[in-house]
Each structure stands twice: as C-alpha cells, then as structure tokens.
Amino acid sequence: MTQESAASGLNLLAAPELTRHPQPTYKILRDSSPVMRVDGIGVLVSTWELVDEVLHKPQLFSSALTSGVLKNERPLIPLQVDPPAHGKFRKILDPLFAPKRMTALEASIATLVNQLIDGFVDRDEIDFAKEFSVPFPTQVFLTMLGLPLDETPSLLAMKDGIIRPHEITGKPLGHPDTDAYQTATAQSIYGYFTSTMQERKRLRRDDLLSWFLEAEIDGDRLSDENILDICFLFLIAGLDTVSASLDCFFSYLAQHPDVRRGIADDESNIPFLVEELLRYETPVMAVAREATQDTELGGCPIHAGEQVLALLGAANNDEKNTDEPEVVRLDRRVNRHLGFGGGVHRCLGSHLARVELRTALRLWHHRLPDYSIKPGVELDFTPGVRAVSTFPMLLHHESAH
Ligand code: HEM
C-alpha cells in the first residue's frame, strides 16, 4: 500500500482527463496499487476480486456512513442502512421496481423520449445535457411519483442543490455559503415530499407515494420519516445516475460511428450495448464504505473507521474478469459487471434504468443516427458520478434514415 499526499490524491480522482477517460488510470491502479491509502479520501480498492469482497462483506464494510455530505437528517433508505434492517426495506421496495413493472412503463417512457426529441429534431446543434440527458430521467421520475411534469425545474434545482451546490454558489464544497445552500435545499426536499405525502393521505392515487403509504412488511408499515428518507434518496439516486449514463454513452457513441451504426442497423444489439457501456464506462465510478473494525484487504491492513472506496470502474475493466476489457463489443453475451454495484446494496433501480437507457438508445438512433461532439469541445465529466453540465452536439441530417 502506498501513501500519497491529500492534494495529489484529490487531483488524481478529479482530473478532467481521468473523469473523461478513466480506464488507463484504473489499469495503473490495479497493476501497481490494488489497495491504496490516499490521505483525505481513504483506501482505494481497484481489482475485481477485492471490490467484490468489499461489496459482499457489509458486516466489515458498512454503508451506514457517518458523514452527512448530503445534509440529510437521517440515513437514506435503503442506501445507508446495513443488514439486517436493510433487508426489510428491500423486501418492501424490490417488488415496486421488479422487471415486469418496469417493462410496463416502456410505452410512457417512449412517449417522453419522443416528445423531447421532437423539440430539437430539426436543428443542427443542441446541448445534449440540457435538452435530453437531464430532463428525461426527471420526467420519468415525476411520472412514477404521479407529479405534474411542470415541476421538472424545481425538482432539478433540488437535486443540484444537494449534489453540486458549489456550482450554484460559485464557492467550494465546505464553504459556509455552500453548506448553507445545501442545508436549505435538504429542508426544501423534506418540505416538498411532506406536503405531497399529506395530499396522498387525503386522496390515494396510482403512484409510488400512495403505495408507500399502504405498504406493509411483517406487519409493519413505513413511517412518514421512512417515506421521506426513501424519496430523498430516489431524487438523488434516480435522476443523476441515468443522466450521467446517457452522457457517458452518447459521448462514447458520438466518437465511435461503427458501434453507433451497429445499433441503428440492428436494434437487437441495444440491450447488449447497454450492459457493455455500463461496464466499460461505469458512470458511477465508486461506492463508499466504512470499516467497522480493524481488518485487511489483499493482505493490507485496514483500520476501523477508515473510508474504503470500491472503484467499480476499475473492477469492471479488470482483465481478470473480462476478456479484452478495453474493447466495447456488441457480441459480448456474458457480461458480469458491477456498474449497478453488487451485494445487498445492488441498485434497486437497475431494471428501470435499463428500460430508460434501452428506450432512449432505440428511439434516438431510429430518428437521429448520426451526430458528433461539437468540434473543439472537450467534455468535462464530474468525478464520482460521471455527468457533464453541458454537451454541445451536432446533429447530421444528410445521412438520417
Ligand atoms: C444507469 C443508472 C444507474 C446506475 C449506474 C446506478 C448505480 C447504482 C449503484 C452503483 C448503486 C450501489 C450503491 C452502493 O453500493 O453503495 C446503486 C444503488 C441504488 N440505486 Fe441505482 N443506479 C442507477 C439508476 C437508479 C435508478 C433509476 C433508481 C431509481 C429509484 C436507483 C435507485 C437506487 C437505490 C434506491 C439504491 C440503493 C440500494 C440499496 O442500498 O439497497 N438507481 N445504484
């Protein structure tokens, strides 16, 4: 295990070249320091075997992180709850996000995709992030919660106020102004969902919130606080991750016309491409855990209380798990990846995310098969969850189907 300075460690994880194209750095980490302690961050773990071990030992590597970086008042449910309590919440939530229910949403998701594309299909240049990757998952989320689509801007403002308050205040994370903005946003999220929940208590509808109010497991109901802690997480987990995945996918496809043609010409390749890009690009780069006791990983001592960052992207590109991991293949039929995490906290929304990503790729390439990143633009991906705030894209109509 090597010791790095805090500054170089933080720079390493946030450098634009790394977040734009992280695979070479992942390889260096796996080959030279599969377990690396970085001051100010914690212990980075980068091989498939060790990342998988961290994810599958929740008793040693806890998700109940003490730091309130998101200014939530209580642990987010189920993300920051350890077994056995975690299992009770998943038992309630899993059926809501089961594959069959998510497939049933495909028609309404397709309508949203088409409406968004209608807005710019005749133009030559768009901002993919502002006009597609950001509004699309937000509108899916509003539809699931049974909320009006004109609440899109306020929902996005709440999400951004929690995830990237520094971009709004123009001051760094940890600055009192940024902290105050984030705290106020967290309060507005609790307030928003509290009043929506009150409305649903008066009048049930066919939506998730109404279902939470009725849900029962082993004779227990979800408390109002439980429901708020679930909604808070959904807002963070369900919006940014799908936007980030679309940014990563379309950035890759814009630069690889052969792969793009492979799905435009044969839609049956799309589900395989989605898995392959979740593996290769790994939009959620890492997940955090806290060691519950002194232990070891790959022979390296880990101290109780230390933060462990399991680098999902590094594991997904480990040649010990995937043949030729650096090649994105449409014919990779067996694709074991950790793009949705692994173990008990594996993504609750994976089936929904798959329906969203597959539907977006299918309809987009049917209507707009040819596009590129605007020349001269370098996309800047945020670290952690690899999203861009602006994505200037040229649409090429002459070769449209
Ligand atoms: C492509 C899009 C998505 C990606 C890449 C993704 C990725 C992940 C990852 C890596 C985790 C594991 C976190 C950990 O172990 O600490 C996770 C958990 C979670 N995700 Fe997703 N996610 C996506 C979409 C969604 C959507 C659409 C929802 C909708 C509600 C969602 C809800 C959740 C929840 C609730 C958890 C916590 C599960 C638990 O702790 O048991 N995700 N996701």
Side-chain angles (χ1 to χ4, degrees):
M1 184 155 15
T2 57
Q3 197 85 18
E4 298 273 307
S5 76
S8 69
L10 286 168
N11 288 341
L12 172 84
L13 288 183
E17 194 38 54
L18 171 85
T19 50
R20 194 176 298 128
H21 187 48
Q23 297 81 2
T25 310
Y26 290 151
K27 180 160 174 52
I28 294 170
L29 286 174
R30 279 193 312 271
D31 291 350
S32 64
S33 320
V35 180
M36 184 170 96
R37 179 167 285 113
V38 181
D39 287 350
I41 296 185
V43 178
L44 306 186
V45 180
S46 52
T47 61
W48 172 277
E49 196 189 347
L50 294 176
V51 168
D52 205 45
E53 182 177 343
V54 170
L55 296 177
H56 284 92
K57 290 189 175 164
Q59 69 287 7
L60 282 181
F61 302 105
S62 164
S63 290
L65 303 180
T66 40
S67 66
V69 279
L70 300 175
K71 299 288 185 285
N72 45 309
E73 291 172 353
R74 298 170 297 273
L76 299 174
I77 294 176
L79 186 73
Q80 296 175 332
V81 180
D82 283 329
H86 173 265
K88 190 180 94 175
F89 292 120
R90 285 295 296 243
K91 229 162 140 184
I92 294 183
L93 294 169
D94 281 345
L96 281 180
F97 288 87
K100 230 173 158 176
R101 280 183 77 104
M102 297 304 102
T103 310
L105 294 176
E106 200 173 319
S108 60
I109 289 176
T111 305
L112 285 175
V113 171
N114 273 326
Q115 279 168 355
L116 287 168
I117 297 178
D118 286 344
F120 52 71
V121 68
D122 296 324
R123 301 218 316 263
D124 296 327
E125 184 178 338
I126 63 164
D127 189 322
F128 178 78
K130 295 195 168 60
E131 297 180 70
F132 192 77
S133 68
V134 170
F136 168 50
T138 314
Q139 297 188 2
V140 172
F141 182 76
L142 282 165
T143 307
M144 288 185 84
L145 283 178
L147 300 167
L149 290 190
D150 59 15
E151 289 187 10
T152 304
S154 59
L155 227 65
L156 283 174
M158 287 193 265
K159 175 196 65 117
D160 287 334
I162 294 295
I163 298 181
R164 42 187 73 93
H166 49 296
E167 287 181 11
I168 300 164
T169 60
K171 313 259 171 61
L173 281 173
H175 187 282
D177 290 358
T178 306
D179 261 15
Y181 191 88
Q182 208 181 17
T183 305
T185 308
Q187 292 311 313
S188 71
I189 293 176
Y190 289 123
Y192 174 82
F193 285 115
T194 301
S195 67
T196 317
M197 191 161 57
Q198 297 311 331
E199 279 172 28
R200 293 299 182 278
K201 280 186 179 174
R202 284 193 294 275
L203 185 66
R204 295 284 200 277
R205 298 200 354 205
D206 180 18
D207 60 22
L208 277 186
L209 267 174
S210 304
W211 199 92
F212 290 155
L213 291 167
E214 301 285 341
E216 205 173 282
I217 206 80
D218 304 335
D220 287 337
R221 290 246 164 145
L222 291 171
S223 67
D224 285 4
E225 284 192 348
N226 289 160
I227 295 177
L228 291 179
D229 300 338
I230 292 170
C231 289
F232 197 119
L233 174 61
F234 279 13
L235 182 66
I236 311 298
L239 305 194
D240 227 40
T241 49
V242 179
S243 300
S245 303
L246 288 167
D247 294 341
C248 292
F249 286 19
F250 277 76
S251 157
Y252 178 90
L253 290 168
Q255 298 171 78
H256 293 85
D258 48 332
V259 181
R260 209 163 67 221
R261 265 192 302 278
I263 56 167
D265 292 346
D266 184 353
E267 285 181 356
S268 69
N269 283 325
I270 289 176
F272 300 106
L273 180 68
V274 167
E275 299 315 306
E276 191 55 347
L277 288 177
L278 283 168
R279 178 193 69 75
Y280 178 74
E281 292 284 340
T282 314
V284 177
M285 299 170 82
V287 295
R289 299 290 186 264
E290 196 172 288
T292 55
Q293 59 191 72
D294 287 349
T295 181
E296 61 83 29
L297 272 172
C300 300
I302 308 289
H303 312 304
E306 247 181 337
Q307 170 156 281
V308 174
L309 278 186
L311 295 179
L312 303 175
N316 280 341
N317 284 280
D318 188 339
E319 37 292 89
K320 294 220 175 69
N321 180 61
T322 307
D323 285 339
E324 295 189 304
E326 67 289 353
V327 186
V328 170
R329 286 178 17 196
L330 293 177
D331 65 349
R332 205 187 286 281
R333 290 298 178 260
V334 178
N335 199 337
R336 235 160 47 103
H337 68 75
L338 297 171
F340 288 119
V344 293
H345 289 281
R346 192 179 175 285
C347 180
L348 173 73
S350 64
H351 306 298
L352 171 62
R354 285 189 171 118
V355 174
E356 291 185 62
L357 295 170
R358 289 174 188 177
T359 308
L361 286 176
R362 180 168 58 79
L363 296 172
W364 182 287
H365 290 88
H366 182 64
R367 300 181 68 180
L368 292 165
D370 202 9
Y371 51 91
S372 56
I373 301 171
K374 189 174 182 183
V377 169
E378 289 265 45
L379 295 180
D380 274 331
F381 288 86
T382 47
V385 178
R386 298 176 54 224
V388 295
S389 55
T390 176
F391 185 157
M393 177 189 270
L394 301 185
L395 305 177
H396 307 296
H397 298 288
E398 57 278 11
S399 60
H401 281 189

